[in-house]
């Protein structure tokens, strides 16, 4: 009977690729941020997205199996002054009324050594999806994980601000910075 149980366990492990199932993690929103910056009118302008949610499946022993989905409410972007916010979420740029969400789909993490990883993801804005690869720092302590990283997008690849006089006054590169804290469920 014991040999049968061991055989069944071995077959189950082989059927699942030999790995335990990755664990779900909950984002700690109060300790997490998603910011952006862009050069415009001779200076750098920063903003923060206030409304978003994230679902993470992560196995510290198999980071390449990590998956995450972050859905950002486009209209929640806050910049200073308020006129910049209205322009950024308006029809010439993010067009929040027509495209209310930005999706970020993390597909894997490749270990680079220590707490450094290369993140492979797709970003979808205004109905256009583009791949991004960027370095992240990921530290796991007990049931808490802290991830920080940044990537740069070319806004024109998403059809953002590509017409009118504003196109020439706003930089094409937008830097997105993430600082996420998650707790094992």
């Amino acid at each position: 009977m014991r040999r049968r149980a061991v055989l069944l366990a071995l077959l189950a492990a082989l059927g699942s690729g030999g790995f335990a199932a990755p664990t779900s993690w909950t984002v700690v929103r109060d300790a997490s941020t998603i910011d952006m910056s862009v050069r415009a009118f001779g200076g750098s302008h920063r903003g923060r997205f206030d409304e978003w949610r994230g679902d993470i499946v992560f196995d510290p022993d198999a980071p390449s199996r990590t998956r995450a989905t972050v859905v950002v409410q486009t209209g929640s972007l806050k910049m200073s002054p308020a006129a910049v916010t209205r322009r950024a979420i308006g029809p010439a740029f993010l067009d929040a009324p027509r495209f209310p969400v930005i999706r970020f789909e993390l597909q894997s993490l490749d270990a680079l050594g220590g707490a450094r990883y290369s993140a492979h993801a797709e970003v979808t804005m205004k109905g256009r999806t583009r791949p991004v690869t960027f370095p992240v720092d990921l530290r796991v302590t007990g049931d808490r994980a802290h991830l920080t990283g940044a990537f740069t997008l070319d806004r024109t690849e998403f059809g953002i601000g590509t017409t009118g006089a504003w196109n020439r006054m706003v930089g094409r590169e937008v830097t997105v910075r993430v600082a996420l804290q998650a707790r094992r469920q």
Side-chain angles (χ1 to χ4, degrees), residues 16 21 42 56 58 67 89 120 123:
S16 67
I56 302 168
F58 171 64
R67 302 292 180 269
I89 65 174
H120 302 276
V123 175

Side-chain angles (χ1 to χ4, degrees), residues 58 62-67 106-112 117-120 134 136 138 147:
F58 171 64
S64 65
R65 298 176 66 211
T66 299
R67 302 292 180 269
L106 179 68
Q107 298 166 336
S108 70
L109 291 175
D110 294 336
L112 299 175
Y117 295 83
S118 180
H120 302 276
F134 59 101
V136 296
L138 174 63
L147 179 138

